[in-house]
Each structure stands twice: as C-alpha cells, then as structure tokens.
Amino acid sequence: MRKTAILGIGQTPVGEHWKLSLRDLAGQAILEALNDARRDSADGIFIGNMLSGMLAGQENLGSLIADWTGLRGKEAYKVEAACSSGAAALRVALMAVASGEMDCALVIGVEKMTETKGVDTTAALASAADADYEAAQGISFVALNALVMQRYLHEFGWKHTDFAQFSINAHANALDNPYARLHEAISETDYKKSRMVAEPINLLDASPIGDGAAALVIVPFDDQSSTDQRLVSIAGSASATDTLALHDRSELLWLSAAEKSARKAYEQAGIEPYDVDIFELHDAFSIMSALSLEACGFIGRGQAPRLAIEGEILPSGKIPICTRGGLKARGHPVGATGVYQIVEVVQQLRGEAGTTQVDGARIGMAQNIGGSGATIITHVLKMGDSR
Amino acid sequence: MRKTAILGIGQTPVGEHWKLSLRDLAGQAILEALNDARRDSADGIFIGNMLSGMLAGQENLGSLIADWTGLRGKEAYKVEAACSSGAAALRVALMAVASGEMDCALVIGVEKMTETKGVDTTAALASAADADYEAAQGISFVALNALVMQRYLHEFGWKHTDFAQFSINAHANALDNPYARLHEAISETDYKKSRMVAEPINLLDASPIGDGAAALVIVPFDDQSSTDQRLVSIAGSASATDTLALHDRSELLWLSAAEKSARKAYEQAGIEPYDVDIFELHDAFSIMSALSLEACGFIGRGQAPRLAIEGEILPSGKIPICTRGGLKARGHPVGATGVYQIVEVVQQLRGEAGTTQVDGARIGMAQNIGGSGATIITHVLKMGDSR
C-alpha cells in the first residue's frame, strides 16, 4: 500500500452564498487547491456532500463537478456519511491513491444549506439520525445532542457555564480566519445570556450552518513533488461506526467510534495523544468537543470541561482545538466540514495559520463526526516526512 | 495493487416491499452474500444508494446498515452516482481491498422507491439530471431519454418498432428469474400497443422502478478462498464521466463515457469485445441498450437495432444481454441496479443462471449508467483464474 500525502489545499469562505451554486462553490475550492498544488488536473474526484438531493434537487454531483472544473471524463462520485461526508471522501481518495487506481485524487467537500428548493434544512439534517426510530418522533438533531449534554451535566456534576470556554475559544480563533463565517468575539456573559435552542444547548453551544466548499489534492507520498517543503503526509487514517440511534448505545456519554478510529490512527502514525500539537475536532455542539477530547485520550472521562476552563484548548495550551474557529465559528456546511478541518490542520503544519498559529506544530489531528457519534473518522497528519 | 475477486453474492426480489424498510432489504441481501461466501463478517461496507434522503428522509446509511447487519463498529459509507451508484460502490470497495485497507469488503446496493415520505419519485429521479439547467425546465428523466431516442430514429432511419426485440428479450429472460419484478412475456403486438410515456418512449421501452437490494463480498484474488471453484475475478474495472446536461454534449448519440470505461476495462482484462460471453447493460430505456452496445464496440454506430432484430442479443446469440431480465424486467431500484448486474454476471459465470444460462460463459461484462450517460462504470468479470 502506497503512503499518501496532501499536496494542495483550497477553500471558499463559509457564509450565505446567494450568488454561488453547488458547482460554483466546488469549482472555486478545487481551482484553489490545484493552484496550490501547482497541478492542472487529477485522475478523479471524491465529493463529500450530504444534502444536495434534499436541498438542491441535485444528485450525480460527480459528473457535474468533474465537468465544471475542467475534468470532464474523469471518474467522480459523491461519498455520504452525514456530517462526516468530508472525511469519508478523503478516506476513499486515500484508498484510490494507495491502491494505485489513481496517482492524483481530488477531494472536495461542498454543501449549500442556506437556500433550499424543498425540504427545510433542519428536517433535512434530521436524516443524519435514525429516520424510523428517532426522526419519526419529531426530534431534531440539536434535540438529540441536548439529551446527551443534559445527561453529561447530570452524570458528572458540571454546570452549563463550564462549557463556555469551548465557544469563546472557537470564536476568538476565527477572528483572524478570512474563511470563517463568524467574526465576533464572545464573552462568558454573552454565553450565559444566549438564547436557548434545546435545553441545555443554547445558541452559543451550537455551530451555524452555512454554504461552503473545501478541497484537497492527494498524491502518493513518494510522488516527485515530495521534495516540496509543504508536503503533508497522511500518517494515520481510520474510521469506525457506532449505532445510529442513541437509544441503542450501551454508553450514551462515550464516543466508541472516536476511541476506535483515534486508537487506530495513533497506531498507524506511531504516536500517542500527547504527541498531537493541534486537534481540529467536531464541535457541532460544545458537548461534542468534550466527548471527543475524552474518547481520544486527552483527558479522563467526564473531565473535559477542565481542559477548557484551564485554557489548555487555546492555541497556547496543551491541546489546542478549533484553531481556525472550529465548526462553531468557521461554520458547519455539513458535508464540507471534514475537508475544512483537514485544510486547517495543513495550514497549521505549514505555519500558515496567522495569529492563531501554534508554535512548532508538526503533528495535527482532525476528527469528523456523522450523526450523534454514529460515524467517526480520524486523521493524523505530519509535516513532511516526520513519520 | 492487489487483484480482487467476488466471493459471495446475495439479492432480494425486486418489487413493492411494503413491509421491508431500507435496512431490512439491505440486511437480507448482505446476509445472503455472507452465507454464500461462507463468511460471518467483513472489514467494511460500501453502500450504493441514490434516493434514501429524498424518499425516506434517511442519510448516514453506513452506520445504519453496519449496525443492522451485525457489523457495528466497521467502516461504512454511502456512495452516490445516480443510477450508477451500485457500480460506484463496487469501485470503492475494490479500491479498499486493492489498497490493503481492507481484506474483505461488502458492497450493498439498496433502494426503496415505491413508498416515499416526501418528494415524488419522478421528481427525485430528476436529480440525476442537471437541476439548474435541465430539471428546472420541468423535464423529467424519461423525457430526456425521449429526446435522445427521437434523435436516434431521425438520424439513423430506424422505426420505433425496430426496438421491440430489446424489450421482448428482457421480459423473456426474466420469466425464470425469481428475483425479477416482472414475470410476463410480451409480444411485438404488446410493444406496439403499449401506452406512450414520452414520445417515442412507451411503457415497454421503460424499466420499472422498484424496491430491492443486492450484495457482493469482495476479497483479494489471492485470498485463501481462491481455491474456491466459484471465485470470480474482477479482471477489468473502470469509470468515466461525461457532461451532466445533454445540451453540453458534442455528440448526443454517442456514450463517450461508455466507450472510455469499456476500453479501459477491456485493456485491463486483456480482451476484445468479441471475447465477452454475456453483457448486462443498463437498459433503463431501450435506446440506452442500443447506445451502450455501439459505444462498447459490439456493432457500428447507428446499427444496434440490427443485433436485436437478428436475435444476437438472446442467450443463444453473439452478445447475450439482459440475461436475467435486465432493468426492463428484473426492475430498476436505481442505486441497487449496478450491484444486481454484477450478481447476475456472477450467476452466469458460475453456471447458475437456470433456463437462460449462456453455455460456456467464462467472461462477463456489466455496465451501469448514472444520468443520461453522465457517469458510466464498466466491469469485466472472469471465472476463476482465467485471466
């Protein structure tokens, strides 16, 4: 199996792009990634997207995007795993390059959520949960996460405000990221006063939806371009599933798919959690930041709010998270999010992360979650050949 | 790159399965395929499906189906390429096994179309076309194909009835296939009298939708099980795209993605068209049978109806097609169809095709089409090690 690496990255700002369709957004990010990689083509495209059918009445994105980006004729598919579709598309691109089926694969995560042709966006997002047993009861996706957070507060004795620093850190880190949706510093008072969405999750616990696209150029690590100082190797890549419905879990507060995929990725990369310099985690809701940090071994069970309170998640802390704003402030265009996370880790490893650059970052991790922990994909990236 | 093979197959009948949900259908086919392969697990699942979001309000099928089939924890995603989603899922499974990421991968194609929670099925199918430039005009998918057929009749001087034998052959071949949706022999008179759908496409030119699932177990060709007499090797596997919108094509009557993917698959398998013993093609509409036969090199441009009229597409002919009923009579549960095709080729190569068994079939081909020729995936299978 060939080892793989990331040669180019591209992204659009996350926002309300009324004048840009799915193909426009995808095209912009792909063009930027190809330029960054100094390539003008690729052997195929893997598209992370969740909602194009329900919201835009558009499937068959493979052919659409290949044609639009000048790659007419090339192999191209959509890969879907709810909000982890972006990292799932990277998994498949990695297999394509590792197997030798392709020598250069594009990954594009794209989602357009602020404009819909039919289904309401909240209803469409509920398709990430179990349609027959959860969504059929009328529960929304944020309500499912609220059940989890409520139980966490009860079980471990934390107060809701103990989660404030997760959101404050994310908003602060987005201020200098031109691609972020929200550029607005928030205080603990703002957090406390924020409108309730589904108790105990308030507006500042929840990530905003958005339109956006992010892209990667994947090549073999021994590609001729590997002399490129900026080549980032994919040192670990693993995915696991859990039950889709929350009521089927034996442990509601433990992300077993995060633990499984992270352990495997650590092993592949030959590292331990303390080796990770930055961690782009899936903070769709602040409770998910906590559960992810615990399942990946950064702190004991039920203790994650302490990392936030003690400042260890800041760019200057022990385990910086959401260094470019995270889902909370960069925004969460669901099928694109997993690719944005990888782009941001690459920026950190290249030393291109501006005022939130983590000093000497050499090993970065990204974790993308689909459903309430149902599909979890973990990647470990290393700068150059530092495996 | 490791060579790959098909160790097990499974399928449900295509029909109106009012009592079976997506997970039930997928589960039945997967269980049958695992039993057939004498395995009780796999390393991951790739799901061909197009419409679960729009019709059932269910995405994140990976985690849903992995859990339901006793594979909780394993990696699993949905792969979408409109009506070619099934073969696209096989392409990805092949990459997973070829790369060494997995030693055993399940492919499941599943679709439930006869019951919908929201969008009308015809509207949902239009998402296989260009939503912004085609579907927005109100044109349905069958109407797009009608434009193509109309042009073909005009260009090459055939009469509509010259296509009758495509449908007659498909219906005849389905009579003995217990998994087929339609068990009804038709005559040329039936064809002529059939109700018009979108001129010149009548009801007997068009394949019926349906609910169904088909599954494959993919392993390395040098797997210990390769001593199994029934192991079928994947000798050729290739995919190509064309423009999504018909108006962007320079040649409306030439499936360039069929030609590209077939040529590549022939080359990989070391064969020529005349080596192919059976061909499961994508007869969503009878015109597509003609275009596929031409683009894959079985007959000259504009001449395909001759193959049908002269009986060369029958099980006893030079290039037998739709040997188990094809999309026309087995039925077309869109995201599952590409996997049904592979299952049927494997049946032929194993000599398990009943009264439509093609004598001495050693090399079989399947071609799955998404959109009106926008995504085309071609596979060449060989019995045992006959490469």
Side-chain angles (χ1 to χ4, degrees), chain A residues 1 23 57-60 72-75 77-78 80 91 99 101 127 129-132 239 241 243 375, chain B residues 1 23 57-60 72-75 77-78 80 91 99 101 127 129-132 239 241 243 375:
Chain A
M1 183 173 142
R23 79 187 87 194
Q58 183 68 73
E59 294 293 357
N60 222 353
R72 185 185 296 178
K74 304 293 188 185
E75 181 164 24
Y77 311 120
K78 164 171 164 173
E80 190 276 330
R91 284 284 301 150
S99 68
E101 279 278 321
S127 68
D130 191 313
D132 295 336
S239 175
T241 53
T243 72
T375 306
Chain B
M1 184 171 141
R23 79 186 87 189
Q58 183 69 71
E59 294 293 357
N60 221 352
R72 184 184 297 178
K74 303 292 186 185
E75 180 163 24
Y77 312 121
K78 164 170 164 173
E80 190 278 330
R91 284 283 301 150
S99 68
E101 279 278 322
S127 68
D130 191 313
D132 295 336
S239 176
T241 52
T243 71
T375 305

Side-chain angles (χ1 to χ4, degrees), chain A residues 130-153:
Chain A
D130 191 313
D132 295 336
Y133 294 94
E134 291 181 322
Q137 314 303 323
I139 198 164
S140 69
F141 201 68
V142 56
L144 285 167
N145 281 270
L147 293 175
V148 177
M149 189 173 192
Q150 189 73 288
R151 185 73 201 171
Y152 188 95
L153 298 179

Side-chain angles (χ1 to χ4, degrees), chain B residues 38-169:
Chain B
R38 295 173 218 131
R39 297 273 174 127
D40 56 12
S41 187
D43 299 325
I45 310 180
F46 299 99
I47 300 154
N49 172 273
M50 176 184 178
L51 301 172
S52 71
M54 279 183 275
L55 300 187
Q58 183 69 71
E59 294 293 357
N60 221 352
L61 292 181
S63 140
L64 180 79
I65 292 173
D67 184 26
W68 186 252
T69 54
L71 296 168
R72 184 184 297 178
K74 303 292 186 185
E75 180 163 24
Y77 312 121
K78 164 170 164 173
V79 183
E80 190 278 330
C83 302
S84 63
S85 299
L90 171 54
R91 284 283 301 150
V92 174
L94 181 153
M95 293 172 190
V97 173
S99 68
E101 279 278 322
M102 296 183 188
D103 289 322
C104 178
L106 274 164
V107 178
I108 172 84
V110 60
E111 205 77 67
K112 191 159 170 58
M113 304 173 76
T114 67
E115 179 186 22
T116 86
K117 283 194 180 170
V119 188
D120 167 80
T121 302
T122 301
L125 284 170
S127 68
D130 191 313
D132 295 336
Y133 294 93
E134 291 182 322
Q137 315 302 323
I139 198 165
S140 69
F141 201 67
V142 56
L144 285 166
N145 281 270
L147 293 174
V148 177
M149 190 173 192
Q150 189 75 285
R151 184 73 200 171
Y152 188 95
L153 298 179
H154 172 80
E155 194 83 35
F156 300 115
W158 296 99
K159 298 187 304 296
H160 176 256
T161 48
D162 293 327
F163 282 75
Q165 297 302 325
F166 286 116
S167 304
I168 293 168
N169 171 61

Side-chain angles (χ1 to χ4, degrees), chain A residues 178-194:
Chain A
Y179 300 97
R181 172 142 199 204
L182 303 176
H183 295 106
E184 191 187 351
I186 60 165
S187 66
E188 197 164 326
T189 309
D190 295 329
Y191 181 81
K192 283 180 188 167
K193 285 184 177 169
S194 176

Side-chain angles (χ1 to χ4, degrees), chain A residues 106-128:
Chain A
L106 274 165
V107 178
I108 172 81
V110 60
E111 204 77 67
K112 190 156 171 61
M113 304 173 74
T114 66
E115 180 185 21
T116 87
K117 283 193 180 172
V119 188
D120 167 80
T121 301
T122 301
L125 284 170
S127 68

Side-chain angles (χ1 to χ4, degrees), chain A residues 224-295:
Chain A
Q224 53 177 15
S225 312
S226 65
T227 54
D228 189 319
Q229 288 300 312
R230 301 184 313 162
L231 197 70
V232 169
S233 76
I234 302 174
S237 173
S239 175
T241 53
D242 198 346
T243 72
L244 186 53
L246 288 180
H247 58 246
D248 286 330
R249 305 260 169 94
S250 51
E251 291 188 86
L252 185 65
L253 301 179
W254 188 250
L255 296 178
S256 70
E259 183 190 10
K260 271 183 206 158
S261 61
R263 276 193 184 177
K264 197 168 165 188
Y266 291 151
E267 195 187 322
Q268 291 169 351
I271 64 164
E272 299 286 342
Y274 60 75
D275 294 317
V276 175
D277 297 317
I278 69 140
F279 181 21
E280 291 301 330
L281 50 68
H282 193 91
D283 58 323
F285 303 100
S286 52
I287 179 65
M288 294 309 276
S289 299
L291 296 183
S292 183
L293 285 164
E294 294 172 14

